[in-house]
Amino acid sequence: MSDSVATEKALPSSAIFRIWRGGNGGGGFVDYNTPISSGMVVLDAVHGIQANDANDMAVRWNCKAGKCGSCSAEINGKPRLMCMTRLNTLDLTVPVTVEPMKTFPHVKDLVTDVSWNYAVKKKIQKFTPRKPDAADGTWRVQQADVDRPQEFRKCIECFLCQDVCHVLRDHNLHDEFIGPRFLIYTAQLEMNPIDAADRIPDLKDSCGIGYCNITKCCTKVCPEEIHITDNAIIPLKERVVDRYFDPIARLFGGGK
Amino acid sequence: MADYPVLEYDVLVVGAGGAGLRAAIEASSTGCKTAVITKSLLGKAHTVMAEGGMAAAMGNVDDRDNWRVHFADTMRGGQYLNNCRMAELHAKEAPARVKELEAWGAIFDRTPDGRILQRNFGGHRYPRLAHVGDRTGLEMIRTLQDHGIHQGIDVYAEHTILNLLMDGTRCVGGFAYDRERGRFKVFHAKAVVLATGGVGRAFQVTSNSWEYTADGQALAFKAGAALLDMEFVQFHPTGMVWPPSVKGILVTEGVRGEGGVLRNKDGKRFMFDDVPENYRSSTADNEEEGWRYTQGDKNSRRPPELLTRDHVARCINREVKAGRGSPHGGVFLDIAWIKEKIPDSVTHIKKKLPSMYHQFKQLADLDITKERMEVGPTTHYIMGGIQVDADTQMSTVAGLFAAGECAAGLHGANRLGGNSLSDLLVFGKRAGEYAAKYAKDHGAGKLTMSQVDEAAKAAVAPFDRGAAGENPFTIQHELQDFMQNLVGIVRIESEMQEALGKIAKLRERAARAGITGNREYNTGWHTALDLDNMLTISEMIALAGIERKESRGGHFRDDYPDKSADWAKYNLRVVQDGNGRPKVEHVTVVPLTDEMKQVIEENK
C-alpha cells in the first residue's frame, strides 16, 4: 500500500487567483491571494475567496466530484471543471486565471447563460422505443450492444466541449450547428438498440453535422473522457454520407 | 403591494431531482399545467450523485426475489419504524417504475440474457439494484429530464422558493426569487409538490451539495405541516477522508457489493467482529463465503461489509476511535485485493466502478485497482421529513404534497442503499398523480399579497445591513461545525442541549446577516437566505434526538446505547406549538396488517 500523502507535491501556503469579476458586459480580472493546502482543487480556492473576500462572487457548482458538470470555467485559458482541477497540477508561482466560458453569453463573474444548450436539446427528435421484445413490455438487449451508447450517456452536460468548439466559439454558428454535446446526444439515441426513430436527415440539415471538421478539440476537454469525435461524430458523419452522398447508390438512382 | 409577476399553474413542483421530475412528468401527463422550480440548472440536482442503483424486486438475477422479500428487507432495515403501507407500495411498484425508465430511454447494464442487470447491496437479500456502472443517478436524472422536456413542463432553473403561500390552511403556491437576476415571482398553483431533497449542508462532513439546505422541510413546517422521524439522519459509512477538500464525498456501497472489503490498520476485517443478532443467520461467517456471495453464489450469505449503513458506519467509527484507523482518520476499503480471485481485475474494477476509479485517481492520486482507499462516515441522507399520507403523498396541509428525501415514512430509522432512487420514482409519481387530482378537484385558492410583501421585505433586509452585518458563510460554517460534533453519528443529551443553545445564538446572528453587492447572482445573499431553513431543521434534529432515549438505526445515543421495546412503538412528530415554535409529539407507529406480519415472519 502506498501512503497517499507521499505522492502529493508540496504546495506553497498561499496562491494568487486572477478571477474575472463583473457582469452586464463589463468586468475585468481581480487578483485574490488566498491560503491553500494539500489536496485542494481550484473550486476550493474559489470558495475560500468567496467566503472570506468576495461574498457576492457568482459561481456555479453542485457535486464537487466531477459528476454534475456545473463548475465549468476556463482555467489558465483551458476549459476545465474547477472541482477536478487540482492545484498541484498548476504553476502556482504565477497567478492562476479563472474565467467564465467564452462561448456563451456572460451573466456575472464565473457564470454564463447556457440556456442555448437546453433549447437545442429540445429540438432533437426524442427517444422513440420500438415494440417490446417480451410480453411484460421489456426488451432483450445484449451488453455489447449498449456499451457504445452508454459511453455517450456518461456525459455530465458541463458544456466544455461546446465551449471549445471553434464552430461555436469562433464562428458563432449557434443557429446552424448543435455542437459536440448534442452530436453525442443524438449518437446515443441513434445507437440505442431500443430506439426506432430516424435522425439522419436532421443530422445533415438542422444539426449541421457537416460543420464539424474533426479537429478533436471537444474530445480533448471532455472530463468524462468520452471519445466524442472518433466514437460519435465520425460514425454519424458516415451514416449521413452513406444515406446522401454514396456515389455508387447515386449512380444506380438510389440514395434518398 | 409591489408589482411582482404572478404565474398561474395547476401544479407547482419544487425541486428537479428524481422525485420532482417524476412528479412533474406525472402531473403534466394528466393535462395539468405544471411548473418545476429548481435551485440549480436542470439535470444538476443531487440525484445525479447517486451511484449504486435503484432497488426493485424484478428478480432478473435471482428469481427468488419478489415484493414480499423487498418489503421485509426495507422494514428490517428501518427497524420497523417505517410507514408499512409506504414500504408495501414501494416494494410492489418499484419494478414498474424502473421498466418505465427503460421505455423512456435509460440504458441499464444487462444480464447475459439481455435483461436489466441487478446488483447486491447492503441489507437487500437478493441482487436487486438496477444500475449503470456506478453512475445510476446520472442515468436516472438524464432520462427523466430528456423525457420531461417533451411534455410541456415549464422549467424555472435557478429559482428558489422563499415561502409557501397560504389560503387559510390550504397551500396555494410559493413566492420565489430567480437567482440570476434576483427578481421576485409569485407562483399561484392549485397544488404544490415539495421535492427538495435533504439537509446535509447543516453538517460539516457531507456527501451533499450546496443545495441540500432543508428548504422543503422548513417551508412545510412554517406552513403548518407536521414533520416525522427528524432524529434519523443517515451517516453513510464510506465517504472519502483525504484530501481534506474532498472529505465527505461519497464512495459507493457498490464497491463492497462488488467484493470490496473493510480493514483496519492491522489489516483485520473488523466487520466480522460485530454482526447484529437479527442479521446473524443471513451473514457469512467466513471471508470465502462472503466473496462467493458477491460473485452471485446463491447458496452463500452476504459478507458483513454489506450490513446496514447505520451499523457499518458505527463499526468504522469505533475502529477509528480505538486507534485502529487509517492515517487520515478513516479505515481502509480494499477492492484491489480481488486480483487474487479475478484474472483481469484491473479491467474488471474499471468496468464495474468507473466513476470511483476516476474520482480517486483525479482527486486523491490513488489507483483503486492497485491501492486501498481510505474511507470514513459522511452525512448522507435524512430518513425523517414531511409527514405524508402513504397513498397520496399529501402532507398534513391541504394541497401540499411531498416526495423523495424531504418526505418521511418509507425508510423508518435507517434507509437501505438503493431504496432512495426507487423511492423517488414510486412516490414522485404518486405525488404528481394526486397533486394533479387535487388540482382538478379544487379551484384556484386565494392569494393574499400581504404574505408576499412580508417575505420580500425580509428577503432584501441583508442588503440594508451591508458589510456591517454578519458574514453568512461564517454563520453557515459554524452551524456545520457544531452539528457535526454535537448532533452527529454518536449523540449524548448534554451535547445536543449544547447544540440547541448554539442554534439559538446563531439564529440571532443570522438575523443580522449582511450582504454587499447587488441582487444579481449574489451567492452571499443566497447563502444568507438559506440560513433560516437550516437552523429551523437543525433545531428539530436536536430536539427529536434528545427526545428519543434509545439507540436505533441512524440515531445512536451514547447515554442510551440499547434499543428499547417501548420506543419501538413510537415515531416522533414535530409540529408548531401555539407560537410557531417546534414541539415534539409521540405518535403510534402505523400498525402492520396481518398479511404484512406474515410476510415479515416468512422472511425472518
Side-chain angles (χ1 to χ4, degrees):
Chain A
M1 170 218 126
S2 80
D3 191 342
S4 18
V5 175
T7 60
E8 174 72 358
K9 191 167 83 182
L11 291 174
S13 60
S14 70
I16 295 170
F17 289 81
R18 183 163 288 173
I19 300 178
W20 189 267
R21 296 299 313 271
N24 292 325
F29 283 110
V30 177
D31 282 3
Y32 298 93
N33 194 344
T34 194
I36 58 171
S37 62
S38 148
M40 271 173 74
V41 293
V42 169
L43 185 61
D44 293 318
V46 169
H47 277 158
I49 293 163
Q50 186 185 53
N52 298 307
D53 309 314
N55 281 184
D56 64 338
M57 185 160 71
V59 52
R60 281 196 185 107
W61 70 285
N62 277 59
C63 76
K64 218 177 160 298
K67 294 192 172 76
C68 76
S70 300
C71 64
S72 306
E74 299 187 5
I75 300 166
N76 289 341
K78 293 201 181 98
R80 305 186 69 166
L81 295 178
M82 287 187 273
C83 73
M84 298 303 275
T85 305
R86 294 188 65 185
L87 298 186
N88 66 352
T89 64
L90 302 170
D91 179 3
L92 299 178
T93 62
V94 292
V96 176
T97 61
V98 188
E99 300 164 80
M101 290 190 284
K102 289 207 181 71
T103 297
F104 308 112
H106 189 223
V107 174
K108 186 189 158 193
D109 303 334
L110 298 176
V111 170
T112 56
D113 175 3
V114 293
S115 58
W116 171 76
N117 292 286
Y118 291 88
V120 168
K121 184 189 264 185
K122 217 168 176 171
K123 285 190 283 191
I124 295 167
Q125 225 188 118
K126 68 176 183 179
F127 173 78
T128 313
R130 63 179 165 81
K131 201 169 150 284
D133 297 323
D136 65 351
T138 59
W139 292 268
R140 296 293 175 269
V141 172
Q142 290 303 307
Q143 182 63 42
D145 297 326
V146 295
D147 280 340
R148 186 50 48 82
Q150 280 187 336
E151 180 193 357
F152 306 144
R153 290 181 69 85
K154 288 195 312 192
C155 172
I156 57 175
E157 297 196 332
C158 62
F159 306 128
L160 290 173
C161 59
Q162 309 286 74
D163 184 43
V164 80
C165 176
H166 64 99
V167 181
L168 301 170
R169 187 182 181 102
D170 301 328
H171 302 291
N172 269 308
L173 291 171
H174 295 69
D175 294 335
E176 294 165 57
F177 181 57
I178 60 174
R181 159 59 191 140
F182 296 104
L183 289 173
I184 64 163
Y185 176 75
T186 307
Q188 61 86 17
L189 288 166
E190 284 293 296
M191 297 180 195
N192 183 335
I194 297 175
D195 179 81
D198 176 14
R199 298 170 191 82
I200 302 298
D202 290 347
L203 276 171
K204 173 173 158 283
D205 299 324
S206 55
C207 302
I209 193 171
Y211 281 111
C212 169
N213 57 352
I214 51 177
T215 52
K216 298 198 182 184
C217 308
C218 51
T219 303
K220 279 177 210 142
V221 300
C222 178
E224 285 293 311
E225 296 173 4
I226 298 169
H227 299 90
I228 301 173
T229 316
D230 289 348
N231 288 353
I233 299 181
I234 291 175
L236 288 183
K237 276 176 173 280
E238 286 169 353
R239 290 182 186 200
V240 171
V241 167
D242 284 350
R243 173 91 52 97
Y244 294 101
F245 306 104
D246 184 339
I248 307 284
R250 202 180 295 171
L251 203 63
F252 291 98
K256 287 185 249 176
Chain B
M1 77 148 220
D3 192 17
Y4 305 121
V6 178
L7 302 154
E8 301 284 343
Y9 284 96
D10 294 320
V11 176
L12 169 69
V13 178
V14 186
L21 287 175
R22 189 63 190 81
I25 287 169
E26 196 64 22
S28 69
S29 74
T30 68
C32 278
K33 189 181 177 204
T34 304
V36 174
I37 286 184
T38 161
K39 291 211 291 188
S40 288
L41 296 173
L42 187 58
K44 309 296 183 193
H46 203 59
T47 302
V48 86
M49 289 287 284
E51 292 162 354
M54 50 194 98
M58 298 188 288
N60 288 357
V61 170
D62 193 320
D63 59 13
R64 290 173 297 182
D65 203 11
N66 57 56
W67 79 265
R68 298 164 79 90
V69 190
H70 192 183
F71 168 80
D73 286 350
T74 300
M75 294 298 294
R76 188 188 307 119
Q79 309 249 4
Y80 303 101
L81 288 189
N82 324 51
N83 178 321
C84 53
R85 171 67 178 158
M86 284 176 79
E88 178 192 7
L89 289 170
H90 171 252
K92 284 181 172 168
E93 295 177 4
R97 296 287 81 78
V98 171
K99 288 173 190 165
E100 190 170 69
L101 282 190
E102 183 163 74
W104 293 349
I107 307 181
F108 292 100
D109 288 352
R110 318 306 298 182
T111 62
D113 67 346
R115 294 185 293 169
I116 294 172
L117 182 60
Q118 298 183 270
R119 70 157 45 118
N120 286 312
F121 235 58
H124 293 282
R125 174 161 295 189
Y126 301 119
R128 188 176 284 149
L129 269 64
H131 63 277
V132 187
D134 52 4
R135 56 161 190 87
T136 314
L138 172 66
E139 188 69 15
M140 178 162 150
I141 201 161
R142 201 65 83 230
T143 302
L144 293 172
Q145 172 189 346
D146 295 349
H147 185 75
I149 57 174
H150 295 289
Q151 284 224 160
I153 300 164
D154 291 340
V155 178
Y156 294 85
E158 301 193 309
H159 280 61
T160 303
I161 293 280
L162 285 164
N163 67 337
L164 295 174
L165 302 174
M166 305 297 291
D167 176 1
T169 55
R170 177 189 166 191
C171 181
V172 292
F175 183 51
Y177 66 96
D178 81 275
R179 302 172 77 86
E180 193 176 300
R181 299 284 163 214
R183 293 182 190 135
F184 295 122
K185 286 175 192 167
V186 176
F187 287 87
H188 185 208
K190 293 171 188 158
V192 175
V193 179
L194 295 173
T196 57
V199 307
R201 290 312 282 184
F203 293 82
Q204 190 183 45
V205 180
T206 177
S207 62
N208 295 177
S209 83
W210 67 267
E211 292 195 283
Y212 266 35
T213 51
D215 299 358
Q217 294 90 338
L219 290 169
F221 173 75
K222 289 175 204 164
L227 305 193
L228 206 65
D229 295 336
M230 293 303 287
E231 67 274 34
F232 296 115
V233 175
Q234 179 168 81
F235 298 89
H236 191 290
T238 59
M240 291 177 81
V241 297
W242 194 93
S245 74
V246 297
K247 194 166 183 178
I249 291 179
L250 193 65
V251 179
T252 177
E253 194 165 320
V255 175
R256 286 167 281 146
E258 298 296 342
V261 299
L262 292 166
R263 295 184 196 277
N264 64 20
K265 77 174 168 63
D266 306 319
K268 184 179 167 61
R269 282 192 51 190
F270 55 87
M271 288 305 301
F272 278 105
D273 295 348
D274 184 358
V275 178
E277 183 58 45
N278 58 340
Y279 281 98
R280 205 156 289 163
S281 65
S282 57
T283 304
D285 56 15
N286 66 82
E287 298 189 8
E288 189 53 35
E289 183 184 5
W291 165 252
R292 286 200 308 268
Y293 174 89
T294 64
Q295 300 310 299
D297 176 7
K298 292 183 180 177
N299 298 315
S300 296
R301 296 168 297 175
R302 72 172 78 105
E305 277 87 355
L306 289 177
L307 286 163
T308 55
R309 289 176 173 177
D310 52 341
H311 181 74
V312 179
R314 271 194 303 279
C315 289
I316 292 175
N317 202 52
R318 185 193 59 212
E319 290 302 303
V320 174
K321 287 214 163 152
R324 296 189 293 266
S326 64
H328 301 100
V331 294
F332 294 107
L333 172 61
D334 187 2
I335 183 77
W337 82 277
I338 68 171
K339 64 176 177 277
E340 296 166 21
K341 299 282 186 185
I342 290 182
D344 189 7
S345 67
V346 172
T347 310
H348 179 80
I349 292 167
K350 285 186 189 169
K351 170 78 191 156
K352 291 287 184 184
L353 302 163
S355 91
M356 285 302 105
Y357 173 76
H358 208 59
Q359 183 174 312
F360 274 89
K361 193 83 186 136
Q362 293 211 347
L363 295 175
D365 281 337
L366 188 140
D367 182 347
I368 67 167
T369 68
K370 298 191 177 74
E371 301 164 84
R372 301 188 286 189
M373 295 162 255
E374 277 187 71
V375 296
T378 179
T379 314
H380 186 53
Y381 189 88
I382 185 159
M383 275 65 77
I386 302 159
Q387 184 180 15
V388 289
D389 175 77
D391 288 74
T392 67
Q393 297 288 291
M394 191 159 92
S395 72
T396 55
V397 168
L400 182 64
F401 298 75
E405 188 172 350
C406 74
L410 171 61
H411 309 293
N414 173 60
R415 174 175 72 81
L416 296 184
N419 270 0
S420 181
L421 289 188
S422 43
D423 172 10
L424 307 185
L425 294 173
V426 168
F427 293 106
K429 177 188 183 288
R430 282 185 166 268
E433 180 183 341
Y434 285 95
K437 187 171 184 305
Y438 186 93
K440 283 177 182 157
D441 293 348
H442 297 76
K446 194 164 127 294
L447 280 180
T448 307
M449 283 304 173
S450 61
Q451 294 173 18
V452 167
D453 291 332
E454 275 169 39
K457 199 172 151 214
V460 295
F463 287 104
D464 301 336
R465 292 184 285 270
E470 292 264 359
N471 180 334
F473 291 96
T474 307
I475 296 172
Q476 190 191 46
H477 293 163
E478 284 181 31
L479 173 71
Q480 292 166 339
D481 187 53
F482 71 72
M483 283 300 286
Q484 186 76 32
N485 292 320
L486 304 177
V487 199
I489 187 164
V490 175
R491 299 168 173 175
I492 187 163
E493 170 136 4
S494 58
E495 291 185 348
M496 288 188 280
Q497 292 288 3
E498 190 187 338
L500 285 177
K502 285 174 181 282
I503 289 167
K505 288 205 182 89
L506 266 195
R507 196 179 274 289
E508 290 169 19
R509 287 173 55 195
R512 297 195 300 269
I515 288 300
T516 55
N518 60 33
R519 276 159 64 175
E520 293 195 353
Y521 220 115
N522 187 330
T523 317
W525 183 39
H526 304 160
T527 301
L529 296 178
D530 288 341
L531 291 174
D532 187 51
N533 291 341
M534 293 171 79
L535 287 163
T536 299
I537 293 308
S538 296
E539 184 177 10
M540 284 181 201
I541 295 171
L543 283 172
I546 290 167
E547 183 69 17
R548 182 170 287 276
K549 292 176 176 49
E550 66 156 353
S551 291
R552 182 182 296 271
H555 176 64
F556 185 83
R557 293 275 304 251
D558 224 8
D559 43 356
Y560 298 94
D562 299 319
K563 221 181 324 193
S564 124
D566 189 43
W567 274 102
K569 298 175 196 153
Y570 306 107
N571 295 101
L572 293 179
R573 179 161 77 174
V574 186
V575 291
Q576 284 189 17
D577 67 8
N579 303 312
R581 301 281 306 140
K583 178 178 77 174
V584 181
E585 303 175 335
H586 294 212
V587 290
T588 309
V589 172
V590 178
L592 296 165
T593 63
D594 289 341
E595 189 199 7
M596 289 174 183
K597 283 181 192 158
Q598 193 196 327
V599 169
I600 288 171
E601 197 50 43
E602 74 197 28
N603 284 292
K604 271 243 158 89

